[in-house]
Amino acid sequence: MNELDKRKREIEERIQAACDRAGRERSSVQVIAVTKSISTERTEEVVRAGYVQLGENRPEGLMEKGSHFPEQSVEWHFIGNVQSRRVKDILPHAQVIHSLQTMSVAKQIENRAERVIDCFVQVNTSEEDSKSGLAIDEVKPFIEQLQSFERLRVVGLMTMAPFTEDEAIIRQTFRTLATLQREIEALQLQHAPCHFLSMGMSNDFEIAIEEGATHIRIGTALVGSESGGSL
Ligand SMILES: *Cc1c(COP(=O)(O)O)cnc(C)c1O
């Protein structure tokens, strides 16, 4: 078994265990394999290992890899900061954008997209200045302003936990996001079903699953880092 298959098996075991602890079905959690730190060749191996939902955080990476793989063989998730002038580069490849947080980007999507784009609104749950995302009390007003947009659907909320070893803090940020997601879901807005929670990365995906994550974004734990040896 190669290194990637080993890592995949280990991650799958940990996902299953977290689902068991939380009384959840494994099928309720989708894994987005974050390929931002690896080459197109190594991304091919990730796809061969069975991952079809892939994440990139820079337009360049998305454009290069997005045009490499046949359409419909993989689904690209854009997880990085979006600048409005780059929306036109992202749209041809990204099925899902996890990091919507400004009206100018929303308008670019509305004006340029040729189909409905599923978006997560990024939330700064830790209120760290260094983290991007809307403040918690900005989220609902922002989503309400998108009501008339026809090419953009808010499918959920996304966050990144603060950089800390303190599990209680990480858990609390995920719980805060889950609470907000349920509140917005309960509004039953047509343009914002908001059923999903994109949270959890290599270091904290088990906590995220326990707190309700539907999409976890796994990079280094799956693919290693480019400097850190082979797949
Ligand atoms: C890089 C990145 C990830 C994956 O991080 P790992 O710690 O390598 O798993 C997830 N989400 C976002 C937004 C990222 O930029």
Side-chain angles (χ1 to χ4, degrees):
M1 200 187 293
N2 71 24
E3 197 60 32
L4 177 63
D5 287 330
K6 269 190 224 151
R7 289 196 185 117
K8 179 185 175 183
R9 193 166 71 176
E10 190 200 320
I11 287 169
E12 275 304 321
E13 283 169 7
R14 290 168 59 190
I15 292 172
Q16 185 62 59
C19 285
D20 291 346
R21 285 194 297 278
R24 299 183 55 189
E25 296 286 337
R26 168 66 186 85
S27 59
S28 68
V29 180
Q30 302 186 41
V31 179
I32 295 156
V34 177
T35 55
K36 67 185 183 194
S37 65
I38 56 170
S39 64
T40 301
E41 290 69 41
R42 288 176 66 192
T43 300
E44 282 178 5
E45 293 180 44
V46 171
V47 173
R48 275 200 296 275
Y51 293 95
V52 291
Q53 294 178 292
L54 307 177
E56 282 287 324
N57 72 333
R58 298 204 343 272
E60 290 73 21
L62 178 72
M63 288 157 72
E64 184 190 322
K65 290 175 186 154
S67 26
H68 179 80
F69 291 91
E71 241 178 281
Q72 276 146 29
S73 63
V74 294
E75 178 176 290
W76 287 103
H77 293 246
F78 193 78
I79 61 172
N81 254 331
V82 192
Q83 293 174 287
S84 30
R85 65 186 177 84
R86 301 308 299 272
V87 168
K88 63 176 188 316
D89 300 325
I90 295 170
L91 284 179
H93 304 289
Q95 268 82 8
V96 187
I97 295 176
H98 285 245
S99 38
L100 178 65
Q101 53 177 301
T102 65
M103 195 47 71
S104 59
V105 165
K107 284 181 181 154
Q108 285 290 318
I109 295 172
E110 177 70 6
N111 292 336
R112 291 176 179 274
E114 288 168 4
R115 62 201 145 83
V116 178
I117 306 293
D118 287 345
C119 296
F120 289 79
V121 171
Q122 186 169 353
V123 186
N124 182 353
T125 38
S126 54
E127 316 260 300
E128 273 177 32
D129 287 343
S130 61
K131 287 271 188 296
S132 40
L134 293 172
I136 287 160
D137 58 4
E138 294 172 334
V139 176
K140 268 185 231 163
F142 177 73
I143 289 175
E144 276 159 8
Q145 280 181 56
L146 301 174
Q147 198 124 38
S148 63
F149 287 44
E150 290 173 354
R151 300 274 164 82
L152 185 162
R153 180 165 55 205
V154 179
V155 296
L157 303 181
M158 180 274 226
T159 201
M160 289 169 85
F163 191 70
T164 172
E165 306 261 288
D166 189 336
E167 223 186 276
I169 294 175
I170 296 172
R171 191 176 295 282
Q172 189 52 54
T173 65
F174 290 156
R175 213 166 265 188
T176 301
L177 193 74
T179 302
L180 185 59
Q181 176 261 324
R182 282 194 299 269
E183 285 172 17
I184 295 166
E185 188 180 37
L187 299 174
Q188 300 193 320
L189 302 170
Q190 202 166 18
H191 71 294
C194 205
H195 297 315
F196 298 133
L197 278 169
S198 170
M199 57 189 196
M201 315 188 349
S202 291
N203 291 326
D204 54 22
F205 68 86
E206 288 145 302
I207 306 173
I209 290 170
E210 288 167 19
E211 298 304 327
T214 59
H215 294 66
I216 57 176
R217 311 177 307 268
I218 312 270
T220 44
L222 180 67
V223 305
S225 51
E226 201 66 87
S227 52
S230 62
L231 261 181

